Each structure stands twice: as C-alpha cells, then as structure tokens.
Amino acid sequence: MKTFNLKTICTLAIMLCSLSSMANKTVRWEKPYVLHADINYLKLHSVEFSDTATIVELSTENPQSPFYILSWIYLRGDDDKKYKIKYCKEFRLNELLTAERFANKENNTLTLVFEPMPKNTTTLDMLTVFNVYEFRFFGIAKSKKSVKIKPFKYNEQNTTCLRENFFKKDTAYIKGVIEGYSPDMRINSFSVYHRNPLTNRDEPFSFEIKEDGTFEQKVVLSHPILELALPKNQLLAFYFLIRPGHTLNVVMHEDLTVDYYDESNKEVEYKEVLRFMPNAINGYNSQEFKQDVKTLNFVEYSHKIDSLQNKAMDLLNYYANRYHYSDCDYLIAKTETQLSFAKKLMDYCIYKNLKPNNGMPAKDNPYYQVIDIDNYSALKKIPYNDSIMLCCKTYSSLQEHYSYNRVFKHHTTERIVTDNGDTINAYYNNTEKSDSICAEIDKKLFSTKEMSVPMKIHLLRSLYNKYKTPINIDGYINEYKQNNPNADSIEIQRAKDTFVEETKKTYQKRCEYFQDKNFEAKADEIFNKFLYDTSATYELPDCEATTLLRKITDKYKGKILYIDFWATFCSPCRSQIEHSKKMREELRDNPEVDFIFITGESDSPQKTYDEYVAQHLDGEDCYRVPDYEYMKYMELFKFLSIPHQEVLDKNGNVLRIYNRESFSETKTFLWNLNRIKEKLGQ
C-alpha cells in the first residue's frame, strides 16, 4: 500500500484549491475587438464569462430610431452553439426603446445577460433574427489576432443548381408551414414586392396563410429570383429563392429559424444565405452617406467605397468559413455584397446631381470626375457578365442607377444653339447612335471587350419602354389617309406593310447589340407582343384577384369605370383626389362614366380614412379592403407604387391605353373620355 507524506498532501491540496479558484474565476474582455457591427450607435464595451452567465455590456450613442432588445438575440461561439439571452439589466426584453428613454438615464449602458459560454472562447458573434440589425456584432474577440479571416475556398463547379437553365420561362412553386401558427398572431398572408429586373416592370404577388399555418403560391418566372416574403408582423418575414420549374418548401419554426427543402425534400444548397447574409453595407448608414456626399469629391468617395468593400469581403469570408457556407451560398452573398457597394457609387452620382460649370477647368470640376470612366473602379468588381446578378435583391435598383448615370447622359447629348442664341443640351434622336455610344462606354467601364449584363438590360428596358404599348397601326393609317385623301385600298395596305417593316428593321438593328441568345429571345417576346397584340382592351384572367374585384365592379357594367388605388398616407394620392373633386362633382350625373376609390386597411387606418373620406370623397364610392385583397389587386394590375389608376370598359375589360395623368378639369377629362370611346369603337 502506497502512502503519501505530508508534503505531497499539501501540494495536492494547493493544486485543488488553484483549480477550484480558476473554475470560479471570471474571464473579462475589456474593449474587445469587433470585426463589424451593423449599427454604429451601439458600442461594445466588454464581455465577461462566468460559470453562470456571459455578460455583454454596450452603450448607446444617439440612437437614430427606436429599437427593441429582442428575446431572440443570441451569442454564437467557437463551438457553433447558440447561447440565448436571459435578460437585460436595464430594460425588459421586447420593449420598444426610444432616444428619449436614454436621455432620462444617468448613463446609456445596456447590460445583456446570456447563457454561460465556455471561458476559453476565442471568438464569438452576437446575432438575432435576420431582419433586425441593432444587435449584430461579428468577430468579437479579446484582440484582433484572435479573429481568423481566410479566403473562402470557392468552387464554381458546385453552383450548377443555380446556373443550369437560368433563363427558362416556367412555373415556380413556393410552399410552406408556420409551426405553432394561430389566427391570434394577426397575420393572414405574405406579400412579395417583386420587380422584374429585365423590364423594370412591377410584378408583386402574395400568398394566403391557411388556418393550419400552411401556404402555397405558384409564380411564372423567366429566371430564378431571391425575394423577401413580408407579413404584417415583420419578425415572421423570411427570404426565399425560387427557380423556374422547381418547388421550394419552407418550414418556419417557433424560434423564427427557417429550413428550406426542394421538391425531393432535400435541403437546398443555398439555405444558409437565405437564413442569414452578412453585408457590411448595413453598417454604412444614411447619415454617414449624406455627410460623405457633402465633404468628399467623387474620386475620394470612390476610394472610400473600395476600402469599405474590401472590409466587407473580410466579413463575408469570416462568416462563410465560420458558418459552413456552401459554394451556392457564397456565390449569392458575394454578388449581393459587390452589387451593394457598386450601387452606393451610383447613389453618389444621383444624390450629388452635378452639372457642368463652363467657367471652371475640367480638372477642378466635380462634374467631370463623375463622367470620368477611370473613377468607377467599384463597378469593375461586380461580375459584369454573370446573369446570377439577377437573383439578387439589390440588382434592380443598381440597374436603375446605372441606366441613368451621368457618364451615359453626358456622352449621348449634344450642344444645340436655339433660335434666340441660347445653348442647351439635347439627347440624340438617333437611337442607333445612342446605343452604340453607350455600348462602347460600358466596355470601358468594365475593361472588357463585350457588353456587360447591366448594359444588355439597359437596352432591353429601352426596347420594353418603346414597345410595351401595342403598335398604333390604326393611328398611322388614319394619318396616312388624311395626307393622301385619294389613296386606294391597295396603296393603304402597302403603306401599312411598309410601316410594319420599317418598325421591324429599327427593332432588329437595336437587337444586334445583344449578341446573347437569351436577351434576344426576351426582346423578341416583347416585340411580338407589341406587333401582334393590338387590341384596345384585355380580359382579366380567371383568378382569385379577378373574383374579388368583380364583387366590387360588376354593378358598374355599362359604364366606363375609373379605379383609383390610393392610401391616406400617400401625399400624391391625396393631392390628386383633392384637385379632381370639382370635376367629379360636375360629372356625377354623367351616365357614361363612374369613379371608385380602393385602399387597404393598413395603408389607411380606420379613423384617418373616415375623416378624409368625409372631407374629400363624400358621395363617392370608396372601398377599404383587407390587406390581402389589396395586395391581390397589386398583383393583378402589376403595380408597387400609388397613386395607380386603371380603366374598365363597359364590359368590365381593362383598357390597355389611356392617359394616366391626373385630371382636374372637366373639359380635359371629357376630351380624353372621347378618345377612349373612339378607341373602343363606341
């Protein structure tokens, strides 16, 4: 039997006491390093690890908007586990906090207490549900060297599920279930505010939540889209990506996490980026942007965007490696990040609204910095010839800014001297010349020999805007007859054929710039609709939205019906209604025309609605409908902004062409009404 002497026993006792002391000891990081924070008015001061809790101390500095300390905030550490928030020492969880609340306190400290994390944690992140930015801190560590950033090992070959048959017109399905759903949650539908990036046409849609929490919707698409489904309670919003010819199944759990499966019930390869997509642009707020526009010239701002984008890629690589992104996840997140910063560069050009100053040398003139192609380095970082951009949420707004950028406008205008000696800028009437100039500028912007996707879409949208209205052959023939009163039927037919052929030649010449069969096919679709679908009206499709609308409009059959979609919050809507009040009163007894006004419940709260209608729409037929129904009308008529008007003929069909300007005078309105009747042959 082995015996221990007194010295050995004492040594063991000291070691045990030391271990016990270490176990009870807290670990504290003072002023820890933070790789990125989505909100700059919350500052992280310390992180403390103990056996019973992990405590994060922050301070607020002039909050720009109210925010919540949500019960869904959590920490995520080296072990990839979630450590939930337990409470906040200063405020209740899920309580709305305003700037005034902090003004009344002696200090602006927020102390968040979480479940205990391992004390040997080297790096952690503070995260929350995807659409709440206040409490997102990435790469929190005792020192910068603890945060590991390495390039993501991206393999292009693993992204075929996104690229295969990218441009394929087909039906896509989104189905899903909200676990623990109850009508008491006071949400009954999701709204999707989609805009077609190819044509810039509004194409919103919605899907109803059934009593068991399930939902389902089919959508006809020309390419994959990544969108946000928004309910009334935005905490239940979720991102989704649907592809033509495929089905996406969504499961939303009670803790607000979301799972995504394909039609074979396998997890999709881009699930992580739908759950969360880090984008450092979130940390660059509007106040900082406005200050930069005031203080930085375009060259300086371009350098800043380059620097911010490099930091953004560090954040993406950190997150993608840490949270096991797939190659599809990384492709989407990287493209979205690049587009976001390129858009900021375009935002500067539009917000600054610079104009030539002829009295200033070009090298000193801020305008000439904006039109200098060499100053657009941020654009060169986007995948200029990769159609995957069309999946991204940011793309449509980037395209809008790109198409109207000063660098194109400057080079497609010419100086014209008017009869009175004034010099003005005028756009080229020669479309072919303008297209050619824009195509060459585009190649220089991206340092490439081929046109970029944004330029192809710019030309496609230009074609759509020119040819979205059915060809007015009748108008041309009437004008021809007036100028040639002795023309016989053969000459008139020849003139008609010539007009169509010349229109085709102009179209075909513009299409030569595409050199891309997918864009050419889309252009052909637009042009053929323009050329052959020449009816003055169209019949509403057999769908839920039409059924809902007919319940309102059927009683007006036999009259031309003007439908005004509006809301009490919408200033242009109110202005239009108020300016046309006298005209509507004068036309109230007109047997040929009627007006109705439709708004949604959320957009026009009951009290505000009642007061406004009593004052400005008294005696008019007004309808305040549930939000889901209003969204269905937006889907039916394809609009995202208001005011929006539609006109139905006496049979309830929708007029394709009419003057959408706001009418305030009876004389003008009746003149346009007669034009409509002529078009309808009445």
Side-chain angles (χ1 to χ4, degrees), residues 391-405:
C391 287
C392 297
K393 283 285 293 176
T394 305
Y395 185 78
S396 280
S397 52
L398 169 67
Q399 179 68 53
E400 192 79 6
H401 291 359
Y402 183 77
S403 293
Y404 291 98
N405 187 265

Side-chain angles (χ1 to χ4, degrees), residues 284 286-298 300-301 304 347-348 351-354 366:
Y284 182 51
S286 59
Q287 287 188 346
E288 185 178 357
F289 168 71
K290 290 176 182 178
Q291 183 63 27
D292 285 343
V293 171
K294 287 181 180 179
T295 58
L296 302 179
N297 64 39
F298 188 62
E300 293 167 338
Y301 188 73
K304 176 168 182 173
D347 287 347
Y348 178 98
Y351 197 91
K352 197 81 170 179
N353 194 27
L354 295 168

Side-chain angles (χ1 to χ4, degrees), residues 17 19 51 57 73 221 271 339 352 367 373 398 442 445 496 543 545 657 679:
C17 289
L19 288 171
D51 294 335
E57 189 177 272
I73 302 172
L221 299 176
K271 61 182 183 297
L339 293 176
K352 197 81 170 179
Y367 174 81
I373 294 169
L398 169 67
D442 174 79
L445 280 171
K496 181 177 179 180
C543 63
I657 312 168
K679 188 72 179 175

Side-chain angles (χ1 to χ4, degrees), residues 261-291:
Y261 303 93
D262 63 16
E263 53 266 21
S264 303
N265 211 32
K266 294 180 181 177
E267 285 193 321
V268 297
E269 295 180 46
Y270 36 83
K271 61 182 183 297
E272 289 300 333
V273 79
L274 295 177
R275 290 170 179 160
F276 184 76
M277 184 192 308
N279 192 342
I281 200 71
N282 294 331
Y284 182 51
N285 62 48
S286 59
Q287 287 188 346
E288 185 178 357
F289 168 71
K290 290 176 182 178
Q291 183 63 27

Side-chain angles (χ1 to χ4, degrees), residues 628-678:
Y628 175 71
E629 182 176 337
Y630 193 76
M631 186 66 195
K632 280 298 176 185
Y633 297 148
M634 293 173 66
E635 182 179 336
L636 181 66
F637 293 115
K638 301 189 182 307
F639 68 93
L640 287 175
S641 59
I642 50 175
H644 178 85
Q645 295 82 33
E646 296 288 342
V647 179
L648 305 188
D649 70 6
K650 294 180 179 182
N651 298 315
N653 295 322
V654 186
L655 210 69
R656 289 187 189 276
I657 312 168
Y658 76 97
N659 194 336
R660 290 176 182 266
E661 67 179 278
S662 174
F663 300 116
S664 57
E665 293 184 3
T666 306
K667 183 178 178 181
T668 308
F669 179 85
L670 289 174
W671 182 83
N672 279 277
L673 180 63
N674 287 330
R675 287 186 63 198
I676 290 173
K677 289 164 64 179
E678 287 175 12

